[in-house]
């Protein structure tokens, strides 16, 4: 890391009559682009438009986990960046010692520290193509632990997620179809002593792309190339460490235009919990985002065909792996497309409507702005007519004030809600 990070968790004053925690009171949802950064460049090349920035996640508030701070972690190439979304300043950067590393996922957690001052710290996990987990304490300015899983370096880590109710439990989705569940201990500064302890190995038997956890039902869900997989993971199971955990399977309706009687493979490339029991799922090539009720779905057999409560209109693109983002407190779901645009859905309004098959239009679409780039010559500018600008992931702050999108063209895009 470049230096110790000092977090500014102060809030900007809300616009007049605007709710601090929700978007539902405002009829119009609009954002303006405020900072577009290229901070993951290989060899610090300011004209690098090839490095993909795969993932981003807002830092949780260490005192109130329902809130986020003004800092976002992004990963792309062999680096992880910490950015202040208010100022656009890159306050820290971690580079892997392995030049061939390509980080695919980052995940935050808050760990309790015995006799610590403060009594809790925020820790960041990062992993990707080289099958190696990195644990970072940004405020301490240190990457304190590195662990290569007992597999070939050809097996990547596709997704990371910490248990929302037990912050030292880390789920790691592997490229070979397993989810490894680790206890990362309680590393505390200045020594950060920790040893990973494997608790569970969950078998998906499919390639996994992203993970979410339902705290209400204690169910881990995984988006995979054959639908959605799920496992009941209780606190008791984490203590007893059973060898085999039964897998649930969730399938989705046929995509529009498929008139054949035979079913087709359903590649689910993104999944989000958008409520206590409401799940958002995006199936590749379907052109929609499905909202469905997990409580209702698990009442059936081990393999269930989901009945969506709402079908959200999305892009008809044939590109894959554009990950949604949502913060339930903000009540906003966002997903980018392969034209640099962000599709926004006001969940607080949509979920109040009765279940229906009719497609629900997005609340608004933020088009890719005209970005001037002084570091790129005229033939390499990020113009939609020249490049596909694929939005790989979107993150939403807890108060809905900021959106962050990361792209296939080495851009971190920060949008701020207008008054």
């Amino acid at each position: 890391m470049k230096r110790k990070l000092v977090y500014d968790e102060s809030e900007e004053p809300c616009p007049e009559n605007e709710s601090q925690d929700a978007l539902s009171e405002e009829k119009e949802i609009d954002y303006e682009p405020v900072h577009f950064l290229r901070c993951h460049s290989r060899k610090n090349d300011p004209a690098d438009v090839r490095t993909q920035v795969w993932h981003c996640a807002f830092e949780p508030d260490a005192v109130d986990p329902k809130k986020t701070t003004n800092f976002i972690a992004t990963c792309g190439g062999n680096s992880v960046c910490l950015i202040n979304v208010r100022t656009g300043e890159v306050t820290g950067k971690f580079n892997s010692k392995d030049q061939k590393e390509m980080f695919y996922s980052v995940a935050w957690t808050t760990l309790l520290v015995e006799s610590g001052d403060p009594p809790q710290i925020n820790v960041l996990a990062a992993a990707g193509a080289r099958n190696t987990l990195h644990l970072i304490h940004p405020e301490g300015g240190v990457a304190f632990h590195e662990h290569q899983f007992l597999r070939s370096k050809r097996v990547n880590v596709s997704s990371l997620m910490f248990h929302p109710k037990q912050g030292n439990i880390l789920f790691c989705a592997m490229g070979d179809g397993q989810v490894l569940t680790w206890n990362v201990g309680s590393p505390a500064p200045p020594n950060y002593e920790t040893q990973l302890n494997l608790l569970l190995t969950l078998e998906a038997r499919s390639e996994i792309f992203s993970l979410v956890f339902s705290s209400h039902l204690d169910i881990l869900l995984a988006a995979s190339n054959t639908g959605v997989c799920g496992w009941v993971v209780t606190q008791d199971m984490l203590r007893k460490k059973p060898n085999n955990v039964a897998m649930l399977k969730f399938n989705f309706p046929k995509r529009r235009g498929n008139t054949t009687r035979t079913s087709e493979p359903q590649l689910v490339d993104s999944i989000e919990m958008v409520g206590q029991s409401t799940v958002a799922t995006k199936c590749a090539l379907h052109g929609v985002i499905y909202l469905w009720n997990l409580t209702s779905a698990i009442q059936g057999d081990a393999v269930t065909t989901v009945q969506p409560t709402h079908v959200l209109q999305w892009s008809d693109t044939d590109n894959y792996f554009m990950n949604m983002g949502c913060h339930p407190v903000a009540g906003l779901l966002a997903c980018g497309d392969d034209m640099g645009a962000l599709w926004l859905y006001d969940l607080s309004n949509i979920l109040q409507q009765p279940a229906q098959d009719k497609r629900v239009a997005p609340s608004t679409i933020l088009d890719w702005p005209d970005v001037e780039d002084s570091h790129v010559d005229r033939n390499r500018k990020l113009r939609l007519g020249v490049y596909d600008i694929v939005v790989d992931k979107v993150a939403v702050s807890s108060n809905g004030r900021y959106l962050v999108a990361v792209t296939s063209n080495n851009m971190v895009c920060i949008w701020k809600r207008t008054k």
Side-chain angles (χ1 to χ4, degrees):
M1 303 292 286
K2 287 184 174 179
R3 60 183 177 85
K4 182 176 180 179
L5 307 179
V6 179
Y7 285 84
D8 174 12
E9 300 183 11
S10 60
E11 293 286 351
E12 299 175 66
C14 287
E16 187 177 358
N17 296 327
E18 181 185 1
S19 168
Q20 178 77 5
D21 295 323
L23 295 165
S24 58
E25 295 181 10
E26 194 77 31
K27 291 183 179 180
E28 294 185 2
I29 301 175
D30 198 13
Y31 289 79
E32 61 180 349
V34 288
H35 305 291
F36 277 47
L37 311 174
R38 186 177 291 131
C39 49
H40 289 275
S41 301
R42 292 282 187 178
K43 300 180 180 179
N44 292 319
D45 176 10
D48 176 4
V49 294
R50 295 185 177 181
T51 297
Q52 293 220 45
V53 188
W54 284 106
H55 204 261
C56 57
F58 273 96
E59 180 195 34
D61 187 308
V63 177
D64 185 350
K66 292 183 179 180
K67 294 182 179 180
T68 56
T69 73
N70 296 316
F71 287 83
I72 189 102
T74 61
C75 67
N78 74 331
S79 64
V80 175
C81 291
L82 279 296
I83 302 168
N84 185 328
V85 295
R86 289 178 62 183
T87 65
E89 179 188 6
V90 180
T91 57
K93 187 172 183 179
F94 163 77
N95 289 285
S96 171
K97 293 176 289 185
D98 187 344
Q99 293 299 313
K100 295 183 179 180
E101 179 65 276
M102 183 181 298
F103 287 113
Y104 292 148
S105 183
V106 289
W108 287 98
T109 190
T110 301
L111 297 177
L112 297 177
V113 180
E114 292 185 8
S115 303
D117 185 20
Q120 60 268 78
I121 61 172
N122 282 338
V123 168
L124 184 67
R130 302 294 280 176
N131 191 19
T132 302
L133 175 69
H134 303 263
L135 296 178
I136 304 167
H137 181 211
E139 190 171 0
V142 59
F144 61 86
H145 188 79
E146 185 176 309
H147 177 85
Q148 184 177 345
F149 300 114
L150 298 178
R151 283 170 163 77
S152 165
K153 282 190 175 182
R154 295 179 182 178
V155 178
N156 62 46
V157 181
S158 58
S159 183
L160 298 171
M161 195 196 67
F162 282 97
H163 195 296
K165 294 192 292 188
Q166 193 170 339
N168 60 345
I169 303 299
L170 175 64
F171 299 106
C172 301
M174 312 300 294
D176 59 4
Q178 291 187 330
V179 180
L180 305 182
T181 307
W182 299 88
N183 187 330
V184 302
S186 299
N191 298 322
Y192 299 98
E193 294 181 3
T194 188
Q195 183 174 357
L196 268 65
N197 179 21
L198 182 62
L199 303 179
L200 297 173
T201 299
L202 307 173
E203 298 283 353
R205 300 187 292 274
S206 301
E207 187 177 2
I208 298 172
F209 307 119
S210 61
L211 299 170
V212 294
F213 193 89
S214 168
S215 299
H216 179 58
L217 297 170
D218 285 330
I219 294 179
L220 177 69
L221 296 175
S224 82
N225 63 351
T226 59
V228 171
C229 308
W231 304 266
V232 176
V233 181
T234 64
Q235 298 292 318
D236 187 56
M237 292 172 62
L238 293 171
R239 287 191 296 268
K240 293 181 178 179
K241 307 178 187 178
N243 291 326
N244 296 305
V245 180
M247 184 182 74
L248 306 171
K249 193 69 184 298
F250 304 93
N251 297 322
F252 295 86
K254 290 183 180 180
R255 64 184 174 92
R256 182 179 290 182
N258 178 17
T259 58
T260 63
R261 293 185 179 181
T262 58
S263 61
E264 60 182 357
Q266 293 186 332
L267 189 153
V268 177
D269 58 1
S270 183
I271 188 168
E272 285 284 340
M273 292 299 306
V274 299
Q276 202 173 51
S277 187
T278 304
V279 186
T281 298
K282 183 164 71 68
C283 297
L285 308 181
H286 282 219
V288 297
I289 296 169
Y290 299 111
L291 301 185
W292 51 285
N293 187 282
L294 181 57
T295 302
S296 299
I298 62 175
Q299 303 304 315
D301 300 326
V303 179
T304 301
T305 298
V306 168
Q307 299 299 320
T309 59
H310 300 83
V311 180
L312 310 182
Q313 181 68 48
W314 187 66
S315 170
D316 288 327
T317 178
D318 57 2
N319 267 323
Y320 295 6
F321 309 124
M322 286 155 281
N323 274 285
M324 300 178 289
C326 176
H327 198 289
V329 174
L332 184 68
L333 176 69
C335 189
D337 62 20
D338 57 353
M339 299 292 287
L342 304 184
W343 300 55
L344 308 183
Y345 306 89
D346 182 358
L347 294 173
S348 55
N349 179 41
I350 293 170
L351 294 177
Q352 290 178 358
Q353 303 175 15
Q356 54 184 317
D357 294 330
K358 181 181 176 182
R359 294 191 177 191
V360 179
S363 303
T364 192
I365 299 176
L366 305 177
D367 292 323
W368 178 258
D370 187 10
V371 179
E372 293 296 329
D373 191 341
S374 60
H375 296 295
V376 181
D377 63 45
R378 182 173 298 178
N379 294 327
R380 295 174 64 194
K381 279 192 175 182
L382 295 181
R383 302 297 186 191
L384 286 173
V386 179
Y387 296 97
D388 282 343
I389 301 178
V390 180
V391 178
D392 292 321
K393 172 67 179 177
V394 184
V396 182
S397 66
S398 61
N399 57 18
R401 185 167 290 120
Y402 289 98
L403 304 175
V404 177
V406 294
T407 77
S408 61
N409 303 83
N410 191 23
M411 297 293 289
V412 177
C413 312
I414 302 173
W415 297 75
K416 182 181 178 182
R417 191 177 180 210
T418 55
K419 294 185 179 181

